[in-house]
């Protein structure tokens, strides 16, 4: 990079339009209002909104746990070195400045979740086989989920994990495929998506009660991980326990404060993400949100403890550990100890700083609802119509 470029000019180069770069480079994407989703990596989303708090376009790659401005995009998506990325940005500067971005008109579609589009069948078979025989979940636990309306089987045979808000209204869900098709679904092999219009600050969650000890909130990347952990470790700890899936370790970590405010402040917040790079970064993002809650000086938040739970690193996640059936080892530790033990596994993540502060939420803690599940075999039954 020429020495004549000042820090201010360099910063301006890095904050150029990501959408313009995609257009000029011919990188295909789909557009939904202000958001772009790459066709070759659909977990990479670009936010084209420009606001006083976010004066440039940003992206977040959920499966990789990384994000930032155009410079970061070149580093993570294009695999350029820092020097190469800056050189390219300087060369493309004039073209990027002249390019006319596609700005959506007033045809923005409001996403509305419609439960009737995700009706279940009366007698689940394919999803039951998948969850119990492939994922190795307990038939007793899975049947309890069906019985209480927390999980159902869709007409296509896929499993649907239902989201409820604090008033027990159905507001979304996760669809989990039950058959393998790598050609259609890529490396993962199965369909996995959040239902259209699902409420952003929620996810699949359920509670169990094993006594009167302090309440704990366990946070996972997927519904099946939450169920796997509950099956292996739920009864090891007395007290009220809530298990929450936030669909990855990415941007939805920012919604944790609002979820906690709506469903009650736990005595302990347990982050139970995968043992990969995205999980490592997700734990750090969760700690940022925890520190922000602590800064509010609300007594309930100040008393809340932050704990990191993970299976041995030879397993990617809780369900892989359950499927292997070799052990049920659980490492529960403080954030500082977790980072000290894992930072050498991801050395490039040490100094990574994301482009913007987490979204701020106005929160006031509420008392937990009394309508909670009291055991794996006797979960609270939401007042919803049978499907």
């Amino acid at each position: 990079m020429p020495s004549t470029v000042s820090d201010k000019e360099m910063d301006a180069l890095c904050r150029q339009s990501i959408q313009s770069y995609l257009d000029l480079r011919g990188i295909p994407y789909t557009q939904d209002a202000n958001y772009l989703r790459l066709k070759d990596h659909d977990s990479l989303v670009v936010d084209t909104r420009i606001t006083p708090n976010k004066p440039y376009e940003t992206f977040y790659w959920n499966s990789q746990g990384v994000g930032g401005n155009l410079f970061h995009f070149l580093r993570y998506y294009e695999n350029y070195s820092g020097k190469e990325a800056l050189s390219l940005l300087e060369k493309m500067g004039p073209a990027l400045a002249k390019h006319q971005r596609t700005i959506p008109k007033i045809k923005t579609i409001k996403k509305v979740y419609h439960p009737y589009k995700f009706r279940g069948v009366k007698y689940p078979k394919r999803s039951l086989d998948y969850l119990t025989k492939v994922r190795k979940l307990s038939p007793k636990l899975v049947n309890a989920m069906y019985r209480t309306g927390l999980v159902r089987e869709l007409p296509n045979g896929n499993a649907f994990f239902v989201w409820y808000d604090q008033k027990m209204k159905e507001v979304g869900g996760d669809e989990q495929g039950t058959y393998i098709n790598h050609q259609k679904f890529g490396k993962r092999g199965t369909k996995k998506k959040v239902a259209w219009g699902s409420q952003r600050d929620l996810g699949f969650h359920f509670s169990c009660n094993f006594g009167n000890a302090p309440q704990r909130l366990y946070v996972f990347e997927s519904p099946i991980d939450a169920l796997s952990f509950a099956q292996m470790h739920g009864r090891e700890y007395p007290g009220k326990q809530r298990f929450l899936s936030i669909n990855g370790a990415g941007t939805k970590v920012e919604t944790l404060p609002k979820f906690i405010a709506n469903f009650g402040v736990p005595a302990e917040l347990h982050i139970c993400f995968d043992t990969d790079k995205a999980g490592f970064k997700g734990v750090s993002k969760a700690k940022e949100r925890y520190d922000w809650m602590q800064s509010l000086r609300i007594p309930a938040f100040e008393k809340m403890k932050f704990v990191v739970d993970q299976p041995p690193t030879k397993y990617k996640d809780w369900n892989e550990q359950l499927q292997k059936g070799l052990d049920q080892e659980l490492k529960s530790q403080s954030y500082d100890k977790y980072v000290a033990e894992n930072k050498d596994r991801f050395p490039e993540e040490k100094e990574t700083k994301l482009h913007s502060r987490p979204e701020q939420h106005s929160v006031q803690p509420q008392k937990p609802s009394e309508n909670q599940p009291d055991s794996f075999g006797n979960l609270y039954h939401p007042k919803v119509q049978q499907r």
Side-chain angles (χ1 to χ4, degrees), residues 306-337:
F306 187 93
V307 184
V308 182
D309 290 342
Q310 281 199 320
T313 54
K314 61 183 177 181
Y315 305 114
K316 179 183 179 295
D317 54 39
W318 300 102
N319 186 248
E320 183 177 314
Q321 183 183 29
L322 179 65
Q323 288 187 51
K324 298 289 185 183
L326 302 176
D327 61 67
Q328 293 190 2
E329 182 182 346
L330 161 66
K331 180 171 285 188
S332 185
Q333 54 194 168
S334 68
Y335 174 74
D336 290 339
K337 189 172 182 180

Side-chain angles (χ1 to χ4, degrees), residues 114-274:
H114 298 290
Y116 71 86
K117 293 184 178 180
F118 302 94
R119 292 193 180 100
V121 299
K122 188 173 183 179
Y123 300 107
K125 177 62 171 66
R126 190 198 296 177
S127 63
L128 178 62
D129 287 345
Y130 174 77
L131 294 174
T132 58
K133 296 179 181 179
V134 178
R135 295 299 195 140
K136 303 301 181 183
L137 291 170
S138 161
K140 180 179 179 181
L141 175 58
V142 175
N143 281 312
M145 292 286 156
Y146 286 136
R147 188 170 60 250
T148 56
L150 289 164
V151 181
R152 55 179 176 257
E153 181 175 311
L154 301 178
N156 62 7
N158 290 342
F160 191 74
F161 299 89
V162 187
W163 303 4
Y164 292 102
D165 65 12
Q166 61 269 33
K167 296 181 180 179
M168 298 312 297
K169 176 185 176 182
E170 183 175 330
V171 293
D174 301 90
E175 182 176 354
Q176 170 64 58
T178 56
Y179 66 94
I180 305 295
N181 186 333
H182 290 289
Q183 184 176 1
K184 184 175 182 180
F185 301 117
K187 184 178 179 180
R188 183 188 298 124
T190 58
K191 182 178 183 179
K192 187 175 182 181
K193 65 177 294 184
V194 173
W196 175 272
S198 295
Q199 188 169 320
R200 181 179 179 273
D201 56 5
L202 279 176
F204 173 73
H205 62 94
F206 60 97
S207 297
C208 300
N209 194 346
F210 299 115
N212 298 316
Q215 178 175 321
R216 300 176 180 87
L217 172 62
Y218 296 87
V219 185
F220 302 85
E221 294 190 33
S222 73
I224 290 180
D225 278 339
L227 291 169
S228 300
F229 180 94
Q231 179 172 318
M232 290 189 289
H233 304 293
R235 293 183 178 275
E236 295 176 9
Y237 304 97
K240 185 179 296 181
Q241 303 175 45
R242 186 182 295 277
F243 303 87
L244 166 68
S245 164
I246 61 171
N247 316 105
T251 54
K252 279 198 67 175
V253 172
E254 300 172 2
T255 68
L256 275 176
K258 188 170 183 180
F259 181 90
I260 289 173
N262 287 334
F263 287 88
V265 182
E268 298 177 5
L269 173 61
H270 290 247
I271 306 301
C272 312
F273 291 163
D274 295 354

Side-chain angles (χ1 to χ4, degrees), residues 25-38:
R25 284 292 192 180
I27 299 173
Y29 59 83
T30 59
Q31 183 167 6
D32 177 12
N34 293 307
Y35 297 94
L36 316 178
R37 188 180 296 275
L38 267 60

Side-chain angles (χ1 to χ4, degrees), residues 85-104:
L86 289 172
S87 177
L88 179 61
L89 289 173
E90 186 179 18
K91 291 178 181 178
M92 293 187 67
L96 289 170
K98 292 179 182 178
H99 183 74
Q100 296 294 317
R101 296 185 301 122
T102 303
I103 301 176

